[in-house]
Amino acid sequence: MSEATRDDSEEADPAHGDEFPVPELSERAEACAARLREAGEFLLCSHIDADGLTSAAVATAAFERAGFDFETAFFKQLDADAVASIAATDYDVVCFTDFGSGQLDVIAPHEAAGEFVPVIADHHQPADAETEFHLNPLLEGLDGASELSGAGASYLLARALGDATDTDNRDLAALAVVGAVGDMQDGDGGLSGANEGLVADAVAAGALEEVTDLALYGRQTRPLPKLLEYASDARIPGISNDQAGAVEFLSDLDVPMKDADGEWRRWVDLDADERRTVASALIRRAVSSGVPSERVDSLVATTYVLADEEPGTELRDVSEFSTLLNATARYERADVGLAVCLGDRGEALDRARTLLRNHRRNLSEGLQWVTNEGVEREEHIQWFDAGTRIRETIVGIVAGMAVGADGVSARKPIVAFADKGDDETKVSARGSGFLVRQGLDLSAVMREASRAVGGDGGGHDVAAGATIPADERETFIATVDELVGEQTSGE
Ligand code: C5P
Ligand code: C5P
Ligand code: C5P
Ligand code: ZN
């Protein structure tokens, strides 16, 4: 590098630079932003998970700042009925966030009929159709499963709309990070690829801190022993899923588990020395009990903290925040989650916390049910049918959490079924980075196998879903098994 270039780069202040955070997508973002400006009035539609909610929140904040006149609607799935109901409204322009790409073929006929113009900010595998205003990382060779989420795409749209405001909408980047983590796009090194541009914006805006920390879920809110006991991903013998073991492990360390008032301490209550003591002891225990080195390495990772939120709350840690959001929108209370994202720390937050307790109980009971019942094994996949035991909107989360539990292989994709009512069955499929490198693309599998039985589906290579007629389950399983076999056979 020459002296001149180095000087140039040193002068560029990331907080006020002109650089678009994901340059590959700047033209698409500009085009979408221009179309929304031209419309001025439109409908915003988003998905009901943490990423969909943060997408809607980022978009809502940017649209309000831009002075747009818009209404917001949430959908579980953007199926033919949902798109028809959208087309039936008076809106000429519809902005879709965190979905739309996968349903382009369903949307296209409505667009062609002049019913509405779609403006899409999404990261799902696009269906076989095209449209003019389409912001999706996959269209520019970026990975939609790991590099940019729906909230990230929405953030780029917000940035393209942001010239007129003080912050340029950079303050919204932290919400986009919550969305990306909610879609499990982070690895041990934190977020990567296009997402790094968002992290940089959020940090520069002062809204986000990047911290290398113990990578266990619940650092802000869980009592210390529960933090360790519930860390099922880590699978440390004698600690994970072992209440007495976790307490015993901690009592052997010089770190009090309770404070002066007799309340359980949480990870956030520990000082730096105490954290080091616990983390090192945990690593030593993992190593001495034969935990594979890559899992030991994963005990410490890049984590994200929302700088403006109060320590010790669900809102402080992006991962806990995303769970709080899932607890609202997946239970038909997207309005609550959206209000929390937009800054309501009163009634909406109280309501969200109540919903969170219910969501946690459902996740834990669901996981218990799956591990008790066990999974069925086919040649290339494993599956379970929860019927009405697990709500169809969370069966995918439970499936993901079940991988690696007793009796559930981490080497085969897991396919979960749950009743949807009206003789329809919801399907959720989860794979792994390892399987994707072998050729697995669950998005293609779900789309093809569901369409073959009169359903529909899609998603990402590593995680996808579908809806199928209830009486087609057996045929569907056989097709999925065959397709996964073809993909991963190395041809
Ligand atoms: O609809 P959406 O794209 O937001 O959902 C993505 C889903 O994929 C999430 O439920 C997320 O947990 C899952 N996922 C996963 N493993 C990954 C990436 C995403 O299970 N590596
Ligand atoms: O609910 P959500 O999909 O955001 O959860 C993300 C991950 O956090 C889960 O896959 C799980 O590993 C962890 N989690 C947990 N305990 C909870 C909720 C989530 O360990 N109560
Ligand atoms: O619902 P679930 O969490 O299993 O969804 C996993 C992924 O599959 C999500 O990205 C979701 O948007 C996608 N999906 C889809 N079509 C469906 C069901 C799920 O594209 N019918
Ligand atoms: Zn998403």
Side-chain angles (χ1 to χ4, degrees):
M1 196 197 285
S2 77
E3 281 299 315
T5 17
R6 194 161 63 226
D7 285 352
D8 282 347
S9 65
E10 273 168 9
E11 261 166 46
D13 174 356
H16 303 286
D18 295 317
E19 187 80 9
F20 197 72
V22 184
E24 298 91 330
L25 287 167
S26 73
E27 263 179 51
R28 290 179 183 275
E30 290 294 344
C32 290
R35 189 62 189 83
L36 293 180
R37 267 194 217 104
E38 184 194 327
E41 184 185 354
F42 50 85
L43 179 65
L44 166 64
C45 299
S46 198
H47 195 209
I48 56 139
D49 65 359
D51 188 35
L53 263 182
T54 47
S55 300
V58 167
T60 298
F63 295 167
E64 279 174 358
R65 289 171 187 179
F68 294 155
D69 186 2
F70 66 101
E71 260 189 298
T72 308
F74 288 91
F75 296 86
K76 240 189 242 182
Q77 227 70 61
L78 200 56
D79 54 18
D81 289 345
V83 177
S85 74
I86 291 165
T89 66
D90 286 338
Y91 290 100
D92 297 330
V93 171
V94 180
C95 178
F96 295 94
T97 58
D98 195 35
F99 57 19
S101 299
Q103 299 77 21
L104 258 185
D105 50 343
V106 181
I107 292 171
H110 293 280
E111 182 181 10
E115 291 165 353
F116 64 84
V117 175
V119 175
I120 301 173
D122 190 11
H123 67 130
H124 291 93
Q125 202 69 56
D128 199 9
E130 301 207 346
T131 196
E132 192 177 352
F133 307 104
H134 193 187
L135 172 53
N136 183 320
L138 291 154
L139 299 172
E140 300 297 339
L142 304 173
D143 184 355
S146 67
E147 281 199 70
L148 198 74
S149 74
S154 305
Y155 173 68
L156 298 182
L157 177 59
R159 279 295 304 269
L161 284 167
D163 333 314
T165 65
D166 288 350
T167 69
D168 233 2
N169 288 332
R170 278 183 177 82
D171 56 322
L172 303 176
L175 274 175
V177 169
V178 175
V181 171
D183 264 9
M184 298 180 66
Q185 299 201 330
D186 56 332
D188 293 347
L191 291 164
S192 58
N195 276 321
E196 288 177 70
L198 280 57
V199 170
D201 272 7
V203 170
L208 190 78
E209 287 163 17
E210 236 176 326
V211 188
T212 302
D213 204 349
L214 189 66
L216 302 185
Y217 179 87
R219 283 181 304 272
Q220 296 291 327
T221 63
R222 278 185 176 160
L224 210 40
K226 294 287 172 206
L227 178 77
L228 303 185
E229 177 194 340
Y230 290 165
S232 37
D233 287 358
R235 279 174 278 152
I236 302 173
I239 296 179
S240 307
N241 300 315
D242 185 338
Q243 192 178 358
V247 170
E248 197 185 312
F249 166 80
L250 284 166
S251 22
D252 288 344
L253 304 175
D254 193 19
V255 175
M257 274 179 276
K258 293 193 174 172
D259 65 16
D261 301 326
E263 298 283 337
W264 289 110
R265 298 175 79 207
R266 301 155 305 182
W267 185 253
V268 282
D269 301 320
L270 272 48
D271 67 26
D273 278 345
E274 291 176 316
R275 289 187 196 179
R276 258 192 302 275
T277 304
V278 178
S280 324
L282 210 52
I283 290 168
R284 276 199 306 278
R285 167 70 77 89
V287 171
S288 68
S289 38
V291 172
S293 62
E294 73 267 17
R295 246 170 39 219
V296 175
D297 293 343
S298 298
L299 282 172
V300 172
T302 301
T303 66
Y304 300 100
V305 166
L306 295 173
D308 298 328
E309 303 296 343
E310 202 178 316
T313 65
E314 300 85 355
L315 306 174
R316 178 83 170 171
D317 177 86
V318 293
S319 185
E320 292 192 64
F321 195 153
S322 80
T323 304
L324 182 82
L325 296 179
N326 277 321
T328 66
R330 291 183 191 255
Y331 298 81
E332 279 135 38
R333 293 308 306 269
D335 56 321
V336 173
L338 184 61
V340 171
C341 286
L342 294 174
D344 186 329
R345 297 290 173 268
E347 209 175 308
L349 182 55
D350 287 345
R351 182 81 211 142
R353 283 183 167 142
T354 305
L355 288 162
L356 177 61
R357 281 193 289 279
N358 173 57
H359 178 51
R360 286 215 162 115
R361 192 171 52 242
N362 288 343
L363 289 182
S364 141
E365 286 174 7
L367 192 56
Q368 191 77 44
W369 184 84
V370 175
T371 45
N372 284 345
E373 296 288 312
V375 295
E376 306 290 328
R377 285 191 190 81
E378 307 298 328
E379 199 176 344
H380 305 287
I381 61 163
Q382 52 193 338
W383 61 273
F384 66 87
D385 188 341
T388 56
R389 307 293 298 255
I390 303 177
R391 205 181 157 91
E392 51 114 347
T393 53
I394 63 162
V395 75
I397 298 177
V398 175
M401 290 171 81
V403 173
D406 277 348
V408 185
S409 169
R411 293 266 152 179
K412 284 180 182 179
I414 186 163
V415 180
F417 299 89
D419 289 356
K420 222 177 140 92
D422 296 334
D423 294 321
E424 285 188 328
T425 296
K426 165 70 195 291
V427 190
S428 277
R430 297 291 187 269
S432 64
F434 169 80
L435 288 163
V436 168
R437 287 189 292 278
Q438 311 287 302
L440 182 73
D441 179 356
L442 288 173
S443 173
V445 171
M446 287 295 118
R447 177 160 296 142
E448 203 175 323
S450 63
R451 289 193 173 179
V453 295
D456 200 8
H460 310 288
D461 49 14
V462 71
T467 299
I468 58 167
D471 55 5
E472 296 285 358
R473 194 192 71 185
E474 298 309 316
T475 317
F476 178 81
I477 291 171
T479 312
V480 169
D481 194 41
E482 193 181 313
L483 291 173
V484 170
E486 283 168 17
Q487 287 179 346
T488 53
S489 65
E491 274 145 37

